Amino acid sequence: MEKYRKFSVAPMMDWTDRHCRFFHRQLTRQALLYTEMVVADAIIHGARARLLGFDDAEHPVALQLGGSDPRKLAEAARIGEAFGYDEINLNVGCPSDRVQSGTFGACLMKTPVLVADCVAAMKAAVKIPVTVKCRIGVDEQDPEPALDTLADGVFSAGANALWVHARKAWLEGLSPRENRDIPPLDYDRVYRLKTRRPNEFIGINGGIQSLEEALKHIDHVDGAMLGRAAYHTPGILADVDAAFHGGESDAFNFAALIDAMAAYAARHIERGGRLGHVTRHMVGLFHGLPGARRYRQILSTDGTRPGAGPDVLRTAFAAIDFRGAGAEAA
């Protein structure tokens, strides 16, 4: 089983773009990072460099695909492999209106045979791992047979891992936002799947708020995936390597991080981008530290102005008081 999957940052639409991933990679060298979901049709027919381009520093990084046509998913997977991704992941969990209209995402929980066909086609097309991310069920499905049937199908088709968001998705009656919180979490259901499939990689996702919680899940499954907690309080990622991969637990050098992000932002601006494309992912970095509010204000105001440059990052960083925080400011 791939050790890099022990801790992952979840794929999140509109959030885990290439700038977010580069930022997260400065905090953890070991965590598996995911792209936003990219629709197979868009990869086949769209602007591939814009959709799939990423910095080499992001490795290990997985491309998450959306779709339900095995042939198209296989072609998109081949293209993703050629771009250098370490893994291809099929989205069988997103409950948004967009994926419902395209009959993919969480809708595919209702058609496990098709999901297995998609996995088999992608496995035949690429040499890198192919994985699946799903829910425990949708709508009125009983999560016991629904999850077992999906898992059996994808593993029989050759899937290298299954990540399970430990909630149902309600395609009728709940919005995508509500689907992230209202359906109750059922971690035990995922644990039972791992007990039933002891030789397969089973990872867990959904509602995990801290590394301490994630480590408790590792007692029962193979990997833990954080989403919103990692995005809104990214500073917790600085402890991932020590906690999950036996890395050194020395104080993290945030000054070096800011330097790296300022240099990255300068390159992005030179290519015609804006500082805000990068800094919008960094607003929560110093959550809970003295000066964090001022840091957020500077990034949210000065950082979004036309012509803003990377020096804004250093100005914001100077507002943070690290005394007693256990991290290196310089």
mmCIF file of all heavy atoms in Angstrom, residues 76-125:
data_model
loop_
_atom_site.group_PDB
_atom_site.id
_atom_site.type_symbol
_atom_site.label_atom_id
_atom_site.label_comp_id
_atom_site.label_asym_id
_atom_site.label_seq_id
_atom_site.Cartn_x
_atom_site.Cartn_y
_atom_site.Cartn_z
ATOM 1 N N ALA A 76 -9.052 10.556 -20.719
ATOM 2 C CA ALA A 76 -8.653 11.625 -19.789
ATOM 3 C C ALA A 76 -7.560 11.143 -18.847
ATOM 4 O O ALA A 76 -6.635 11.888 -18.508
ATOM 5 C CB ALA A 76 -9.866 12.110 -19.002
ATOM 6 N N ALA A 77 -7.647 9.891 -18.410
ATOM 7 C CA ALA A 77 -6.617 9.336 -17.534
ATOM 8 C C ALA A 77 -5.273 9.260 -18.258
ATOM 9 O O ALA A 77 -4.229 9.580 -17.671
ATOM 10 C CB ALA A 77 -7.035 7.952 -17.045
ATOM 11 N N ARG A 78 -5.289 8.861 -19.526
ATOM 12 C CA ARG A 78 -4.039 8.818 -20.303
ATOM 13 C C ARG A 78 -3.413 10.204 -20.401
ATOM 14 O O ARG A 78 -2.202 10.368 -20.257
ATOM 15 C CB ARG A 78 -4.322 8.278 -21.713
ATOM 16 C CG ARG A 78 -4.323 6.771 -21.818
ATOM 17 C CD ARG A 78 -4.305 6.323 -23.270
ATOM 18 N NE ARG A 78 -5.550 6.638 -23.941
ATOM 19 C CZ ARG A 78 -6.582 5.808 -24.040
ATOM 20 N NH1 ARG A 78 -6.514 4.597 -23.513
ATOM 21 N NH2 ARG A 78 -7.689 6.177 -24.671
ATOM 22 N N ILE A 79 -4.258 11.196 -20.634
ATOM 23 C CA ILE A 79 -3.754 12.563 -20.732
ATOM 24 C C ILE A 79 -3.184 13.009 -19.388
ATOM 25 O O ILE A 79 -2.115 13.623 -19.315
ATOM 26 C CB ILE A 79 -4.883 13.505 -21.201
ATOM 27 C CG1 ILE A 79 -5.326 13.132 -22.630
ATOM 28 C CG2 ILE A 79 -4.443 14.964 -21.137
ATOM 29 C CD1 ILE A 79 -6.622 13.789 -23.073
ATOM 30 N N GLY A 80 -3.882 12.698 -18.298
ATOM 31 C CA GLY A 80 -3.391 13.060 -16.971
ATOM 32 C C GLY A 80 -2.069 12.398 -16.648
ATOM 33 O O GLY A 80 -1.172 13.026 -16.081
ATOM 34 N N GLU A 81 -1.927 11.134 -17.025
ATOM 35 C CA GLU A 81 -0.662 10.442 -16.797
ATOM 36 C C GLU A 81 0.463 11.113 -17.576
ATOM 37 O O GLU A 81 1.572 11.283 -17.056
ATOM 38 C CB GLU A 81 -0.789 8.979 -17.215
ATOM 39 C CG GLU A 81 0.467 8.159 -16.971
ATOM 40 C CD GLU A 81 0.307 6.719 -17.398
ATOM 41 O OE1 GLU A 81 -0.208 6.480 -18.516
ATOM 42 O OE2 GLU A 81 0.699 5.827 -16.620
ATOM 43 N N ALA A 82 0.167 11.517 -18.816
ATOM 44 C CA ALA A 82 1.185 12.177 -19.635
ATOM 45 C C ALA A 82 1.599 13.517 -19.036
ATOM 46 O O ALA A 82 2.746 13.958 -19.217
ATOM 47 C CB ALA A 82 0.667 12.369 -21.056
ATOM 48 N N PHE A 83 0.703 14.178 -18.316
ATOM 49 C CA PHE A 83 1.036 15.440 -17.663
ATOM 50 C C PHE A 83 1.886 15.229 -16.420
ATOM 51 O O PHE A 83 2.432 16.173 -15.875
ATOM 52 C CB PHE A 83 -0.244 16.201 -17.291
ATOM 53 C CG PHE A 83 -0.655 17.230 -18.310
ATOM 54 C CD1 PHE A 83 -1.338 16.856 -19.451
ATOM 55 C CD2 PHE A 83 -0.358 18.572 -18.139
ATOM 56 C CE1 PHE A 83 -1.720 17.793 -20.404
ATOM 57 C CE2 PHE A 83 -0.723 19.522 -19.077
ATOM 58 C CZ PHE A 83 -1.407 19.132 -20.224
ATOM 59 N N GLY A 84 1.991 13.993 -15.945
ATOM 60 C CA GLY A 84 2.871 13.699 -14.823
ATOM 61 C C GLY A 84 2.196 13.445 -13.493
ATOM 62 O O GLY A 84 2.876 13.370 -12.457
ATOM 63 N N TYR A 85 0.870 13.308 -13.475
ATOM 64 C CA TYR A 85 0.198 13.040 -12.202
ATOM 65 C C TYR A 85 0.601 11.679 -11.652
ATOM 66 O O TYR A 85 0.913 10.749 -12.395
ATOM 67 C CB TYR A 85 -1.320 13.138 -12.368
ATOM 68 C CG TYR A 85 -1.803 14.569 -12.456
ATOM 69 C CD1 TYR A 85 -1.982 15.192 -13.694
ATOM 70 C CD2 TYR A 85 -2.027 15.314 -11.311
ATOM 71 C CE1 TYR A 85 -2.381 16.514 -13.782
ATOM 72 C CE2 TYR A 85 -2.435 16.637 -11.383
ATOM 73 C CZ TYR A 85 -2.603 17.230 -12.611
ATOM 74 O OH TYR A 85 -2.990 18.552 -12.688
ATOM 75 N N ASP A 86 0.573 11.567 -10.328
ATOM 76 C CA ASP A 86 0.982 10.337 -9.662
ATOM 77 C C ASP A 86 -0.158 9.335 -9.526
ATOM 78 O O ASP A 86 0.089 8.157 -9.244
ATOM 79 C CB ASP A 86 1.520 10.662 -8.260
ATOM 80 C CG ASP A 86 2.735 11.571 -8.320
ATOM 81 O OD1 ASP A 86 3.798 11.100 -8.774
ATOM 82 O OD2 ASP A 86 2.612 12.746 -7.944
ATOM 83 N N GLU A 87 -1.379 9.798 -9.716
ATOM 84 C CA GLU A 87 -2.542 8.944 -9.462
ATOM 85 C C GLU A 87 -3.741 9.563 -10.156
ATOM 86 O O GLU A 87 -3.826 10.782 -10.310
ATOM 87 C CB GLU A 87 -2.771 8.868 -7.947
ATOM 88 C CG GLU A 87 -3.929 8.021 -7.490
ATOM 89 C CD GLU A 87 -3.983 7.919 -5.970
ATOM 90 O OE1 GLU A 87 -2.979 7.468 -5.368
ATOM 91 O OE2 GLU A 87 -5.026 8.285 -5.387
ATOM 92 N N ILE A 88 -4.674 8.707 -10.568
ATOM 93 C CA ILE A 88 -5.945 9.154 -11.125
ATOM 94 C C ILE A 88 -7.048 8.706 -10.183
ATOM 95 O O ILE A 88 -7.107 7.535 -9.793
ATOM 96 C CB ILE A 88 -6.202 8.569 -12.531
ATOM 97 C CG1 ILE A 88 -5.045 8.889 -13.489
ATOM 98 C CG2 ILE A 88 -7.531 9.075 -13.077
ATOM 99 C CD1 ILE A 88 -4.867 10.351 -13.807
ATOM 100 N N ASN A 89 -7.947 9.627 -9.818
ATOM 101 C CA ASN A 89 -9.032 9.315 -8.896
ATOM 102 C C ASN A 89 -10.375 9.599 -9.568
ATOM 103 O O ASN A 89 -10.541 10.627 -10.227
ATOM 104 C CB ASN A 89 -8.889 10.165 -7.623
ATOM 105 C CG ASN A 89 -10.015 9.927 -6.633
ATOM 106 O OD1 ASN A 89 -11.025 10.626 -6.638
ATOM 107 N ND2 ASN A 89 -9.844 8.935 -5.779
ATOM 108 N N LEU A 90 -11.321 8.690 -9.399
ATOM 109 C CA LEU A 90 -12.666 8.860 -9.960
ATOM 110 C C LEU A 90 -13.603 9.363 -8.883
ATOM 111 O O LEU A 90 -13.714 8.765 -7.806
ATOM 112 C CB LEU A 90 -13.176 7.542 -10.531
ATOM 113 C CG LEU A 90 -14.610 7.576 -11.093
ATOM 114 C CD1 LEU A 90 -14.716 8.529 -12.277
ATOM 115 C CD2 LEU A 90 -15.060 6.171 -11.495
ATOM 116 N N ASN A 91 -14.310 10.444 -9.181
ATOM 117 C CA ASN A 91 -15.251 11.050 -8.233
ATOM 118 C C ASN A 91 -16.582 10.296 -8.281
ATOM 119 O O ASN A 91 -17.296 10.328 -9.278
ATOM 120 C CB ASN A 91 -15.457 12.528 -8.592
ATOM 121 C CG ASN A 91 -16.327 13.258 -7.590
ATOM 122 O OD1 ASN A 91 -17.315 12.725 -7.094
ATOM 123 N ND2 ASN A 91 -15.975 14.497 -7.307
ATOM 124 N N VAL A 92 -16.904 9.632 -7.165
ATOM 125 C CA VAL A 92 -18.200 8.959 -7.018
ATOM 126 C C VAL A 92 -18.859 9.474 -5.739
ATOM 127 O O VAL A 92 -19.563 8.755 -5.052
ATOM 128 C CB VAL A 92 -18.020 7.424 -6.983
ATOM 129 C CG1 VAL A 92 -19.371 6.705 -7.029
ATOM 130 C CG2 VAL A 92 -17.175 6.946 -8.161
ATOM 131 N N GLY A 93 -18.591 10.742 -5.419
ATOM 132 C CA GLY A 93 -19.103 11.264 -4.157
ATOM 133 C C GLY A 93 -19.666 12.662 -4.189
ATOM 134 O O GLY A 93 -20.402 13.053 -3.287
ATOM 135 N N CYS A 94 -19.362 13.450 -5.229
ATOM 136 C CA CYS A 94 -19.805 14.851 -5.254
ATOM 137 C C CYS A 94 -21.298 14.924 -5.530
ATOM 138 O O CYS A 94 -21.785 14.341 -6.508
ATOM 139 C CB CYS A 94 -19.029 15.620 -6.320
ATOM 140 S SG CYS A 94 -19.497 17.366 -6.426
ATOM 141 N N PRO A 95 -22.064 15.648 -4.684
ATOM 142 C CA PRO A 95 -23.518 15.700 -4.840
ATOM 143 C C PRO A 95 -24.036 16.968 -5.526
ATOM 144 O O PRO A 95 -25.225 17.260 -5.454
ATOM 145 C CB PRO A 95 -23.998 15.665 -3.388
ATOM 146 C CG PRO A 95 -22.946 16.469 -2.675
ATOM 147 C CD PRO A 95 -21.635 16.204 -3.399
ATOM 148 N N SER A 96 -23.171 17.736 -6.182
ATOM 149 C CA SER A 96 -23.608 19.024 -6.717
ATOM 150 C C SER A 96 -24.586 18.860 -7.874
ATOM 151 O O SER A 96 -24.662 17.810 -8.524
ATOM 152 C CB SER A 96 -22.402 19.841 -7.191
ATOM 153 O OG SER A 96 -21.912 19.331 -8.404
ATOM 154 N N ASP A 97 -25.359 19.923 -8.140
ATOM 155 C CA ASP A 97 -26.298 19.913 -9.264
ATOM 156 C C ASP A 97 -25.563 19.651 -10.569
ATOM 157 O O ASP A 97 -26.082 18.999 -11.479
ATOM 158 C CB ASP A 97 -27.034 21.258 -9.351
ATOM 159 C CG ASP A 97 -27.910 21.507 -8.131
ATOM 160 O OD1 ASP A 97 -28.290 20.522 -7.476
ATOM 161 O OD2 ASP A 97 -28.193 22.681 -7.840
ATOM 162 N N ARG A 98 -24.347 20.157 -10.661
ATOM 163 C CA ARG A 98 -23.571 20.015 -11.883
ATOM 164 C C ARG A 98 -23.306 18.546 -12.201
ATOM 165 O O ARG A 98 -23.466 18.098 -13.329
ATOM 166 C CB ARG A 98 -22.246 20.763 -11.736
ATOM 167 C CG ARG A 98 -21.297 20.634 -12.916
ATOM 168 C CD ARG A 98 -19.978 21.322 -12.576
ATOM 169 N NE ARG A 98 -18.984 21.118 -13.603
ATOM 170 C CZ ARG A 98 -17.692 21.356 -13.441
ATOM 171 N NH1 ARG A 98 -17.261 21.815 -12.286
ATOM 172 N NH2 ARG A 98 -16.837 21.151 -14.418
ATOM 173 N N VAL A 99 -22.921 17.777 -11.183
ATOM 174 C CA VAL A 99 -22.631 16.378 -11.464
ATOM 175 C C VAL A 99 -23.900 15.564 -11.645
ATOM 176 O O VAL A 99 -23.921 14.583 -12.380
ATOM 177 C CB VAL A 99 -21.728 15.742 -10.378
ATOM 178 C CG1 VAL A 99 -20.405 16.457 -10.278
ATOM 179 C CG2 VAL A 99 -22.403 15.692 -9.038
ATOM 180 N N GLN A 100 -24.995 15.979 -11.005
ATOM 181 C CA GLN A 100 -26.252 15.258 -11.218
ATOM 182 C C GLN A 100 -26.716 15.400 -12.654
ATOM 183 O O GLN A 100 -27.185 14.444 -13.272
ATOM 184 C CB GLN A 100 -27.323 15.779 -10.260
ATOM 185 C CG GLN A 100 -27.091 15.387 -8.812
ATOM 186 C CD GLN A 100 -28.285 15.729 -7.937
ATOM 187 O OE1 GLN A 100 -29.393 15.298 -8.209
ATOM 188 N NE2 GLN A 100 -28.046 16.508 -6.896
ATOM 189 N N SER A 101 -26.578 16.600 -13.216
ATOM 190 C CA SER A 101 -27.000 16.798 -14.600
ATOM 191 C C SER A 101 -26.122 16.020 -15.560
ATOM 192 O O SER A 101 -26.541 15.689 -16.668
ATOM 193 C CB SER A 101 -26.970 18.294 -14.952
ATOM 194 O OG SER A 101 -25.641 18.796 -14.904
ATOM 195 N N GLY A 102 -24.896 15.703 -15.133
ATOM 196 C CA GLY A 102 -23.990 14.947 -15.990
ATOM 197 C C GLY A 102 -23.964 13.470 -15.657
ATOM 198 O O GLY A 102 -23.164 12.715 -16.206
ATOM 199 N N THR A 103 -24.847 13.027 -14.763
ATOM 200 C CA THR A 103 -24.936 11.635 -14.306
ATOM 201 C C THR A 103 -23.578 11.065 -13.901
ATOM 202 O O THR A 103 -23.176 9.999 -14.342
ATOM 203 C CB THR A 103 -25.600 10.716 -15.359
ATOM 204 O OG1 THR A 103 -24.822 10.726 -16.565
ATOM 205 C CG2 THR A 103 -27.024 11.158 -15.649
ATOM 206 N N PHE A 104 -22.862 11.829 -13.080
ATOM 207 C CA PHE A 104 -21.641 11.297 -12.486
ATOM 208 C C PHE A 104 -21.509 11.857 -11.084
ATOM 209 O O PHE A 104 -22.461 12.434 -10.573
ATOM 210 C CB PHE A 104 -20.397 11.572 -13.340
ATOM 211 C CG PHE A 104 -20.173 13.007 -13.739
ATOM 212 C CD1 PHE A 104 -19.411 13.856 -12.964
ATOM 213 C CD2 PHE A 104 -20.711 13.493 -14.926
ATOM 214 C CE1 PHE A 104 -19.185 15.162 -13.336
ATOM 215 C CE2 PHE A 104 -20.479 14.805 -15.313
ATOM 216 C CZ PHE A 104 -19.720 15.641 -14.518
ATOM 217 N N GLY A 105 -20.367 11.670 -10.435
ATOM 218 C CA GLY A 105 -20.266 12.030 -9.035
ATOM 219 C C GLY A 105 -21.065 11.050 -8.190
ATOM 220 O O GLY A 105 -21.078 9.843 -8.448
ATOM 221 N N ALA A 106 -21.747 11.551 -7.173
ATOM 222 C CA ALA A 106 -22.472 10.682 -6.245
ATOM 223 C C ALA A 106 -23.563 9.871 -6.928
ATOM 224 O O ALA A 106 -23.935 8.797 -6.438
ATOM 225 C CB ALA A 106 -23.065 11.512 -5.110
ATOM 226 N N CYS A 107 -24.075 10.349 -8.040
ATOM 227 C CA CYS A 107 -25.084 9.589 -8.785
ATOM 228 C C CYS A 107 -24.597 8.180 -9.104
ATOM 229 O O CYS A 107 -25.391 7.238 -9.198
ATOM 230 C CB CYS A 107 -25.436 10.292 -10.099
ATOM 231 S SG CYS A 107 -26.135 11.928 -9.916
ATOM 232 N N LEU A 108 -23.298 8.043 -9.286
ATOM 233 C CA LEU A 108 -22.751 6.753 -9.690
ATOM 234 C C LEU A 108 -22.838 5.696 -8.586
ATOM 235 O O LEU A 108 -22.659 4.507 -8.863
ATOM 236 C CB LEU A 108 -21.290 6.917 -10.122
ATOM 237 C CG LEU A 108 -21.062 7.660 -11.440
ATOM 238 C CD1 LEU A 108 -19.577 7.891 -11.671
ATOM 239 C CD2 LEU A 108 -21.661 6.879 -12.602
ATOM 240 N N MET A 109 -23.121 6.103 -7.348
ATOM 241 C CA MET A 109 -23.338 5.114 -6.297
ATOM 242 C C MET A 109 -24.493 4.182 -6.667
ATOM 243 O O MET A 109 -24.550 3.037 -6.213
ATOM 244 C CB MET A 109 -23.644 5.791 -4.956
ATOM 245 C CG MET A 109 -22.498 6.553 -4.320
ATOM 246 S SD MET A 109 -21.122 5.523 -3.733
ATOM 247 C CE MET A 109 -21.917 4.465 -2.523
ATOM 248 N N LYS A 110 -25.398 4.670 -7.506
ATOM 249 C CA LYS A 110 -26.559 3.866 -7.907
ATOM 250 C C LYS A 110 -26.238 2.887 -9.033
ATOM 251 O O LYS A 110 -27.064 2.017 -9.352
ATOM 252 C CB LYS A 110 -27.698 4.792 -8.348
ATOM 253 C CG LYS A 110 -28.221 5.708 -7.254
ATOM 254 C CD LYS A 110 -29.327 6.612 -7.784
ATOM 255 C CE LYS A 110 -29.885 7.509 -6.691
ATOM 256 N NZ LYS A 110 -30.975 8.399 -7.198
ATOM 257 N N THR A 111 -25.072 3.044 -9.652
ATOM 258 C CA THR A 111 -24.710 2.192 -10.788
ATOM 259 C C THR A 111 -23.311 1.615 -10.575
ATOM 260 O O THR A 111 -22.371 1.937 -11.307
ATOM 261 C CB THR A 111 -24.770 2.985 -12.103
ATOM 262 O OG1 THR A 111 -23.921 4.150 -11.992
ATOM 263 C CG2 THR A 111 -26.187 3.416 -12.434
ATOM 264 N N PRO A 112 -23.151 0.744 -9.576
ATOM 265 C CA PRO A 112 -21.813 0.233 -9.244
ATOM 266 C C PRO A 112 -21.160 -0.555 -10.379
ATOM 267 O O PRO A 112 -19.924 -0.565 -10.476
ATOM 268 C CB PRO A 112 -22.063 -0.640 -8.011
ATOM 269 C CG PRO A 112 -23.516 -0.976 -8.049
ATOM 270 C CD PRO A 112 -24.187 0.212 -8.660
ATOM 271 N N VAL A 113 -21.958 -1.205 -11.212
ATOM 272 C CA VAL A 113 -21.364 -1.943 -12.334
ATOM 273 C C VAL A 113 -20.702 -0.975 -13.309
ATOM 274 O O VAL A 113 -19.597 -1.227 -13.815
ATOM 275 C CB VAL A 113 -22.432 -2.798 -13.050
ATOM 276 C CG1 VAL A 113 -21.852 -3.427 -14.318
ATOM 277 C CG2 VAL A 113 -22.971 -3.881 -12.112
ATOM 278 N N LEU A 114 -21.341 0.161 -13.556
ATOM 279 C CA LEU A 114 -20.750 1.173 -14.425
ATOM 280 C C LEU A 114 -19.467 1.731 -13.810
ATOM 281 O O LEU A 114 -18.476 1.959 -14.517
ATOM 282 C CB LEU A 114 -21.753 2.308 -14.684
ATOM 283 C CG LEU A 114 -21.243 3.495 -15.507
ATOM 284 C CD1 LEU A 114 -20.733 3.052 -16.870
ATOM 285 C CD2 LEU A 114 -22.338 4.559 -15.648
ATOM 286 N N VAL A 115 -19.470 1.958 -12.509
ATOM 287 C CA VAL A 115 -18.259 2.456 -11.841
ATOM 288 C C VAL A 115 -17.111 1.465 -12.039
ATOM 289 O O VAL A 115 -15.987 1.849 -12.362
ATOM 290 C CB VAL A 115 -18.513 2.695 -10.341
ATOM 291 C CG1 VAL A 115 -17.219 3.092 -9.635
ATOM 292 C CG2 VAL A 115 -19.566 3.787 -10.144
ATOM 293 N N ALA A 116 -17.400 0.184 -11.872
ATOM 294 C CA ALA A 116 -16.371 -0.829 -12.067
ATOM 295 C C ALA A 116 -15.868 -0.820 -13.505
ATOM 296 O O ALA A 116 -14.656 -0.952 -13.753
ATOM 297 C CB ALA A 116 -16.920 -2.209 -11.702
ATOM 298 N N ASP A 117 -16.768 -0.633 -14.449
ATOM 299 C CA ASP A 117 -16.364 -0.556 -15.856
ATOM 300 C C ASP A 117 -15.446 0.643 -16.086
ATOM 301 O O ASP A 117 -14.467 0.559 -16.845
ATOM 302 C CB ASP A 117 -17.595 -0.449 -16.758
ATOM 303 C CG ASP A 117 -18.385 -1.752 -16.835
ATOM 304 O OD1 ASP A 117 -17.839 -2.806 -16.447
ATOM 305 O OD2 ASP A 117 -19.558 -1.701 -17.278
ATOM 306 N N CYS A 118 -15.766 1.763 -15.454
ATOM 307 C CA CYS A 118 -14.934 2.960 -15.592
ATOM 308 C C CYS A 118 -13.540 2.714 -15.021
ATOM 309 O O CYS A 118 -12.528 3.089 -15.637
ATOM 310 C CB CYS A 118 -15.592 4.142 -14.880
ATOM 311 S SG CYS A 118 -17.129 4.736 -15.639
ATOM 312 N N VAL A 119 -13.480 2.095 -13.857
ATOM 313 C CA VAL A 119 -12.185 1.804 -13.240
ATOM 314 C C VAL A 119 -11.376 0.857 -14.121
ATOM 315 O O VAL A 119 -10.175 1.068 -14.350
ATOM 316 C CB VAL A 119 -12.378 1.211 -11.831
ATOM 317 C CG1 VAL A 119 -11.049 0.681 -11.276
ATOM 318 C CG2 VAL A 119 -12.954 2.262 -10.883
ATOM 319 N N ALA A 120 -12.025 -0.174 -14.633
ATOM 320 C CA ALA A 120 -11.320 -1.134 -15.482
ATOM 321 C C ALA A 120 -10.750 -0.461 -16.723
ATOM 322 O O ALA A 120 -9.614 -0.745 -17.134
ATOM 323 C CB ALA A 120 -12.264 -2.273 -15.871
ATOM 324 N N ALA A 121 -11.519 0.450 -17.317
ATOM 325 C CA ALA A 121 -11.048 1.151 -18.511
ATOM 326 C C ALA A 121 -9.857 2.039 -18.197
ATOM 327 O O ALA A 121 -8.883 2.093 -18.967
ATOM 328 C CB ALA A 121 -12.194 1.982 -19.110
ATOM 329 N N MET A 122 -9.909 2.733 -17.075
ATOM 330 C CA MET A 122 -8.789 3.595 -16.702
ATOM 331 C C MET A 122 -7.556 2.773 -16.346
ATOM 332 O O MET A 122 -6.433 3.132 -16.705
ATOM 333 C CB MET A 122 -9.199 4.508 -15.534
ATOM 334 C CG MET A 122 -10.222 5.570 -15.927
ATOM 335 S SD MET A 122 -10.530 6.789 -14.613
ATOM 336 C CE MET A 122 -11.443 5.805 -13.450
ATOM 337 N N LYS A 123 -7.748 1.666 -15.636
ATOM 338 C CA LYS A 123 -6.619 0.806 -15.294
ATOM 339 C C LYS A 123 -5.922 0.275 -16.549
ATOM 340 O O LYS A 123 -4.700 0.141 -16.586
ATOM 341 C CB LYS A 123 -7.095 -0.370 -14.435
ATOM 342 C CG LYS A 123 -7.379 -0.025 -12.990
ATOM 343 C CD LYS A 123 -6.122 0.344 -12.214
ATOM 344 C CE LYS A 123 -5.204 -0.844 -12.034
ATOM 345 N NZ LYS A 123 -4.013 -0.500 -11.198
ATOM 346 N N ALA A 124 -6.720 -0.032 -17.571
ATOM 347 C CA ALA A 124 -6.142 -0.542 -18.809
ATOM 348 C C ALA A 124 -5.399 0.538 -19.583
ATOM 349 O O ALA A 124 -4.555 0.236 -20.426
ATOM 350 C CB ALA A 124 -7.248 -1.147 -19.679
ATOM 351 N N ALA A 125 -5.718 1.799 -19.287
ATOM 352 C CA ALA A 125 -5.165 2.912 -20.065
ATOM 353 C C ALA A 125 -3.882 3.490 -19.480
ATOM 354 O O ALA A 125 -3.119 4.139 -20.202
ATOM 355 C CB ALA A 125 -6.212 4.024 -20.189
#
